[in-house]
Amino acid sequence: MTAIEAGQLAGNVIRLVPLTEEHKPELMKLLHHPLIWEYTWRRISSEEEAGQLVEAALANQAAGKEIPYVMVEQPSGRIVGTTRLMHLDRRHRNAEIGCTWISPEYWRTAVNTESKLLLLQYAFEVLGLIRVDFSIVSDNLRSQRAIERIGAALEGVLRKHRITADGTVMDNMLYSIIDEEWPAVKKNLQYLVNEKYK
């Protein structure tokens, strides 16, 4: 991990701070909210299960497979969510942005939009990636519309890609942004953040 990767990504609304063990108690409380999991294949029903998600992220971070962050509101310092660069493939210069879970109190604010701006800017302009993926459960139309609004291209459907705890089989929608598209996507994201930040 480079010094840059170890650092924070700062915006106007939030800072993305590298995940550490110290964030676990607050994240366990935040991630226990049932609305967060309504349209996902995961079903988190206890703080203990939420804690296991944090532990898995820390293990993948240590193995160099992921770069997980907590979203910290400016200037309150309150943790409002988490997100990460995952499936990081430096040889083929691609990764996925995923595991983005935000307190429902901050839905439809600039938080998610700015987190995408910060992560994509880091991915394309610092890490030198040429492709970033997004995988969204087919039932989650709200997230699909949001990722389409920022300029990601729908590539297809990963059929029967996830199985929930109750045995429901779900498709995933696969989106991507490639390096040639990044300048236009960046401009659009900056516009969207400014509109929501007003």
Side-chain angles (χ1 to χ4, degrees), residues 172-187:
N172 262 14
M173 313 301 286
L174 182 63
Y175 291 84
S176 70
I177 297 169
I178 58 175
D179 53 349
E180 292 96 330
E181 298 162 346
W182 167 235
V185 170
K186 180 179 181 180
K187 186 176 180 180

PDB file of all heavy atoms in Angstrom, residues 172-187:
ATOM      1  N   ASN A 172     -27.707 -10.087 -10.962  1.00  0.00           N
ATOM      2  CA  ASN A 172     -26.984  -8.839 -10.743  1.00  0.00           C
ATOM      3  C   ASN A 172     -26.807  -8.117 -12.066  1.00  0.00           C
ATOM      4  O   ASN A 172     -26.522  -8.748 -13.090  1.00  0.00           O
ATOM      5  CB  ASN A 172     -25.599  -9.101 -10.129  1.00  0.00           C
ATOM      6  CG  ASN A 172     -25.571  -8.928  -8.633  1.00  0.00           C
ATOM      7  OD1 ASN A 172     -26.606  -8.862  -7.988  1.00  0.00           O
ATOM      8  ND2 ASN A 172     -24.388  -8.860  -8.071  1.00  0.00           N
ATOM      9  N   MET A 173     -26.969  -6.808 -12.034  1.00  0.00           N
ATOM     10  CA  MET A 173     -26.757  -5.967 -13.206  1.00  0.00           C
ATOM     11  C   MET A 173     -25.316  -5.466 -13.168  1.00  0.00           C
ATOM     12  O   MET A 173     -24.858  -4.958 -12.146  1.00  0.00           O
ATOM     13  CB  MET A 173     -27.722  -4.780 -13.199  1.00  0.00           C
ATOM     14  CG  MET A 173     -29.174  -5.141 -12.902  1.00  0.00           C
ATOM     15  SD  MET A 173     -29.885  -6.309 -14.076  1.00  0.00           S
ATOM     16  CE  MET A 173     -30.097  -5.227 -15.485  1.00  0.00           C
ATOM     17  N   LEU A 174     -24.602  -5.630 -14.288  1.00  0.00           N
ATOM     18  CA  LEU A 174     -23.193  -5.242 -14.345  1.00  0.00           C
ATOM     19  C   LEU A 174     -23.032  -3.948 -15.133  1.00  0.00           C
ATOM     20  O   LEU A 174     -23.431  -3.867 -16.299  1.00  0.00           O
ATOM     21  CB  LEU A 174     -22.355  -6.345 -14.996  1.00  0.00           C
ATOM     22  CG  LEU A 174     -20.855  -6.091 -15.081  1.00  0.00           C
ATOM     23  CD1 LEU A 174     -20.248  -5.984 -13.677  1.00  0.00           C
ATOM     24  CD2 LEU A 174     -20.158  -7.186 -15.874  1.00  0.00           C
ATOM     25  N   TYR A 175     -22.446  -2.944 -14.481  1.00  0.00           N
ATOM     26  CA  TYR A 175     -22.165  -1.648 -15.088  1.00  0.00           C
ATOM     27  C   TYR A 175     -20.658  -1.402 -15.070  1.00  0.00           C
ATOM     28  O   TYR A 175     -19.931  -2.004 -14.274  1.00  0.00           O
ATOM     29  CB  TYR A 175     -22.835  -0.529 -14.286  1.00  0.00           C
ATOM     30  CG  TYR A 175     -24.335  -0.505 -14.346  1.00  0.00           C
ATOM     31  CD1 TYR A 175     -25.106  -1.304 -13.499  1.00  0.00           C
ATOM     32  CD2 TYR A 175     -25.001   0.325 -15.242  1.00  0.00           C
ATOM     33  CE1 TYR A 175     -26.487  -1.276 -13.546  1.00  0.00           C
ATOM     34  CE2 TYR A 175     -26.391   0.370 -15.290  1.00  0.00           C
ATOM     35  CZ  TYR A 175     -27.122  -0.440 -14.448  1.00  0.00           C
ATOM     36  OH  TYR A 175     -28.495  -0.400 -14.500  1.00  0.00           O
ATOM     37  N   SER A 176     -20.208  -0.489 -15.937  1.00  0.00           N
ATOM     38  CA  SER A 176     -18.798  -0.119 -15.895  1.00  0.00           C
ATOM     39  C   SER A 176     -18.585   1.300 -16.390  1.00  0.00           C
ATOM     40  O   SER A 176     -19.421   1.876 -17.096  1.00  0.00           O
ATOM     41  CB  SER A 176     -17.954  -1.078 -16.747  1.00  0.00           C
ATOM     42  OG  SER A 176     -18.214  -0.872 -18.126  1.00  0.00           O
ATOM     43  N   ILE A 177     -17.438   1.839 -16.006  1.00  0.00           N
ATOM     44  CA  ILE A 177     -16.908   3.087 -16.548  1.00  0.00           C
ATOM     45  C   ILE A 177     -15.478   2.786 -16.967  1.00  0.00           C
ATOM     46  O   ILE A 177     -14.725   2.170 -16.198  1.00  0.00           O
ATOM     47  CB  ILE A 177     -16.938   4.223 -15.504  1.00  0.00           C
ATOM     48  CG1 ILE A 177     -18.377   4.533 -15.083  1.00  0.00           C
ATOM     49  CG2 ILE A 177     -16.251   5.484 -16.027  1.00  0.00           C
ATOM     50  CD1 ILE A 177     -18.481   5.445 -13.871  1.00  0.00           C
ATOM     51  N   ILE A 178     -15.087   3.198 -18.175  1.00  0.00           N
ATOM     52  CA  ILE A 178     -13.711   2.989 -18.630  1.00  0.00           C
ATOM     53  C   ILE A 178     -12.989   4.327 -18.723  1.00  0.00           C
ATOM     54  O   ILE A 178     -13.612   5.397 -18.670  1.00  0.00           O
ATOM     55  CB  ILE A 178     -13.654   2.212 -19.959  1.00  0.00           C
ATOM     56  CG1 ILE A 178     -14.439   2.924 -21.063  1.00  0.00           C
ATOM     57  CG2 ILE A 178     -14.166   0.792 -19.755  1.00  0.00           C
ATOM     58  CD1 ILE A 178     -14.313   2.260 -22.429  1.00  0.00           C
ATOM     59  N   ASP A 179     -11.672   4.246 -18.849  1.00  0.00           N
ATOM     60  CA  ASP A 179     -10.853   5.455 -18.733  1.00  0.00           C
ATOM     61  C   ASP A 179     -11.204   6.536 -19.747  1.00  0.00           C
ATOM     62  O   ASP A 179     -11.195   7.723 -19.412  1.00  0.00           O
ATOM     63  CB  ASP A 179      -9.365   5.116 -18.788  1.00  0.00           C
ATOM     64  CG  ASP A 179      -8.959   4.279 -19.997  1.00  0.00           C
ATOM     65  OD1 ASP A 179      -9.840   3.764 -20.715  1.00  0.00           O
ATOM     66  OD2 ASP A 179      -7.745   4.128 -20.217  1.00  0.00           O
ATOM     67  N   GLU A 180     -11.572   6.148 -20.981  1.00  0.00           N
ATOM     68  CA  GLU A 180     -11.932   7.166 -21.970  1.00  0.00           C
ATOM     69  C   GLU A 180     -13.200   7.922 -21.574  1.00  0.00           C
ATOM     70  O   GLU A 180     -13.392   9.073 -21.993  1.00  0.00           O
ATOM     71  CB  GLU A 180     -12.169   6.528 -23.356  1.00  0.00           C
ATOM     72  CG  GLU A 180     -10.939   5.958 -24.014  1.00  0.00           C
ATOM     73  CD  GLU A 180     -10.793   4.459 -23.762  1.00  0.00           C
ATOM     74  OE1 GLU A 180     -11.255   3.981 -22.694  1.00  0.00           O
ATOM     75  OE2 GLU A 180     -10.227   3.774 -24.618  1.00  0.00           O
ATOM     76  N   GLU A 181     -14.051   7.284 -20.804  1.00  0.00           N
ATOM     77  CA  GLU A 181     -15.306   7.911 -20.379  1.00  0.00           C
ATOM     78  C   GLU A 181     -15.153   8.773 -19.132  1.00  0.00           C
ATOM     79  O   GLU A 181     -16.033   9.581 -18.817  1.00  0.00           O
ATOM     80  CB  GLU A 181     -16.357   6.827 -20.116  1.00  0.00           C
ATOM     81  CG  GLU A 181     -16.700   6.007 -21.346  1.00  0.00           C
ATOM     82  CD  GLU A 181     -17.393   4.692 -21.020  1.00  0.00           C
ATOM     83  OE1 GLU A 181     -17.393   4.275 -19.838  1.00  0.00           O
ATOM     84  OE2 GLU A 181     -17.929   4.082 -21.963  1.00  0.00           O
ATOM     85  N   TRP A 182     -14.046   8.586 -18.424  1.00  0.00           N
ATOM     86  CA  TRP A 182     -13.886   9.225 -17.128  1.00  0.00           C
ATOM     87  C   TRP A 182     -13.981  10.761 -17.173  1.00  0.00           C
ATOM     88  O   TRP A 182     -14.659  11.359 -16.321  1.00  0.00           O
ATOM     89  CB  TRP A 182     -12.585   8.782 -16.456  1.00  0.00           C
ATOM     90  CG  TRP A 182     -12.188   9.600 -15.271  1.00  0.00           C
ATOM     91  CD1 TRP A 182     -11.018  10.245 -15.055  1.00  0.00           C
ATOM     92  CD2 TRP A 182     -12.991   9.879 -14.103  1.00  0.00           C
ATOM     93  NE1 TRP A 182     -11.028  10.905 -13.867  1.00  0.00           N
ATOM     94  CE2 TRP A 182     -12.229  10.700 -13.252  1.00  0.00           C
ATOM     95  CE3 TRP A 182     -14.284   9.509 -13.718  1.00  0.00           C
ATOM     96  CZ2 TRP A 182     -12.707  11.163 -12.032  1.00  0.00           C
ATOM     97  CZ3 TRP A 182     -14.770   9.987 -12.489  1.00  0.00           C
ATOM     98  CH2 TRP A 182     -13.979  10.795 -11.662  1.00  0.00           C
ATOM     99  N   PRO A 183     -13.363  11.470 -18.114  1.00  0.00           N
ATOM    100  CA  PRO A 183     -13.490  12.939 -18.082  1.00  0.00           C
ATOM    101  C   PRO A 183     -14.929  13.427 -18.111  1.00  0.00           C
ATOM    102  O   PRO A 183     -15.293  14.341 -17.352  1.00  0.00           O
ATOM    103  CB  PRO A 183     -12.708  13.381 -19.331  1.00  0.00           C
ATOM    104  CG  PRO A 183     -11.701  12.289 -19.538  1.00  0.00           C
ATOM    105  CD  PRO A 183     -12.415  11.023 -19.162  1.00  0.00           C
ATOM    106  N   ALA A 184     -15.777  12.824 -18.943  1.00  0.00           N
ATOM    107  CA  ALA A 184     -17.188  13.238 -19.007  1.00  0.00           C
ATOM    108  C   ALA A 184     -17.931  12.838 -17.742  1.00  0.00           C
ATOM    109  O   ALA A 184     -18.759  13.603 -17.231  1.00  0.00           O
ATOM    110  CB  ALA A 184     -17.859  12.624 -20.233  1.00  0.00           C
ATOM    111  N   VAL A 185     -17.642  11.649 -17.224  1.00  0.00           N
ATOM    112  CA  VAL A 185     -18.278  11.198 -15.989  1.00  0.00           C
ATOM    113  C   VAL A 185     -17.876  12.107 -14.829  1.00  0.00           C
ATOM    114  O   VAL A 185     -18.704  12.492 -14.005  1.00  0.00           O
ATOM    115  CB  VAL A 185     -17.905   9.726 -15.687  1.00  0.00           C
ATOM    116  CG1 VAL A 185     -18.352   9.327 -14.282  1.00  0.00           C
ATOM    117  CG2 VAL A 185     -18.523   8.791 -16.721  1.00  0.00           C
ATOM    118  N   LYS A 186     -16.604  12.472 -14.776  1.00  0.00           N
ATOM    119  CA  LYS A 186     -16.116  13.356 -13.713  1.00  0.00           C
ATOM    120  C   LYS A 186     -16.837  14.702 -13.739  1.00  0.00           C
ATOM    121  O   LYS A 186     -17.284  15.205 -12.702  1.00  0.00           O
ATOM    122  CB  LYS A 186     -14.605  13.568 -13.869  1.00  0.00           C
ATOM    123  CG  LYS A 186     -13.989  14.479 -12.824  1.00  0.00           C
ATOM    124  CD  LYS A 186     -12.490  14.605 -13.047  1.00  0.00           C
ATOM    125  CE  LYS A 186     -11.839  15.490 -12.009  1.00  0.00           C
ATOM    126  NZ  LYS A 186     -10.366  15.597 -12.230  1.00  0.00           N
ATOM    127  N   LYS A 187     -16.962  15.279 -14.927  1.00  0.00           N
ATOM    128  CA  LYS A 187     -17.647  16.557 -15.067  1.00  0.00           C
ATOM    129  C   LYS A 187     -19.097  16.447 -14.598  1.00  0.00           C
ATOM    130  O   LYS A 187     -19.608  17.327 -13.882  1.00  0.00           O
ATOM    131  CB  LYS A 187     -17.586  17.007 -16.526  1.00  0.00           C
ATOM    132  CG  LYS A 187     -18.143  18.385 -16.781  1.00  0.00           C
ATOM    133  CD  LYS A 187     -17.942  18.789 -18.239  1.00  0.00           C
ATOM    134  CE  LYS A 187     -18.506  20.180 -18.501  1.00  0.00           C
ATOM    135  NZ  LYS A 187     -18.327  20.584 -19.911  1.00  0.00           N
TER     136      LYS A 187
END
